[in-house]
Amino acid sequence: MEWMRRRRRLKVAAGIVRIELVCAPSVWSAMLTRCARRYGTVHFAEGMQQPAGAGLVFVELSGVELSELMDVAARRGRWWRREDPPGRALCRAVYRAASAVVDELGPGHDACVTIPPITLSAGAGTS
């Protein structure tokens, strides 16, 4: 039933107006490259990352962009994708961190709700 949970998460994510991702520039670059392979760069605008201090960046995402990011992370983070272990680990961390925030919202969340940023730093996305 994991596919049902994943589908629900993508639907909730797509309904978000704006959300921030806080991560290392290399993490964003790696995920952007992976997303471009599946979706192109149409939804991911240039210059959307801003310095966040401590070597991190803020990346502002729309709900559609978050949904696409989560879709790519879920697909590329599967255990049977043996050709890219570091990429698989990265994708799993991104998906877990994003899922934690999306699961807090749930379906039909209020548009006025303050959504915490998705933060990928040491220990983020571990379980």
Side-chain angles (χ1 to χ4, degrees):
M1 297 305 187
E2 180 61 32
W3 64 270
M4 288 175 59
R5 185 173 10 175
R6 184 173 151 248
R7 188 171 66 185
R8 182 186 53 77
R9 285 174 173 158
L10 295 180
K11 184 177 179 181
V12 171
I16 294 172
V17 176
R18 284 297 208 215
I19 190 164
E20 280 186 344
L21 171 67
V22 181
C23 62
S26 59
V27 168
W28 175 241
S29 178
M31 288 308 299
L32 187 59
T33 299
R34 285 168 172 79
C35 288
R37 289 182 191 148
R38 179 150 178 90
Y39 290 107
T41 56
V42 172
H43 295 292
F44 296 96
E46 291 297 320
M48 51 194 302
Q49 69 182 26
Q50 303 296 320
L56 301 174
V57 292
F58 287 117
V59 181
E60 189 173 296
L61 300 170
S62 71
V64 170
E65 292 163 341
L66 176 60
S67 184
E68 290 174 352
L69 181 76
M70 290 178 70
D71 180 52
V72 167
R75 290 174 188 273
R76 296 190 61 90
R78 293 189 177 133
W79 65 270
W80 47 261
R81 296 191 63 89
R82 300 191 189 280
E83 72 274 5
D84 181 19
R88 186 173 65 242
L90 170 65
C91 288
R92 290 179 118 175
V94 169
Y95 185 78
R96 285 182 184 143
S99 293
V101 172
V102 168
D103 287 349
E104 284 183 29
L105 297 174
H109 65 278
D110 185 359
C112 298
V113 158
T114 301
I115 302 171
I118 298 167
T119 304
L120 292 167
S121 59
T126 58
S127 62

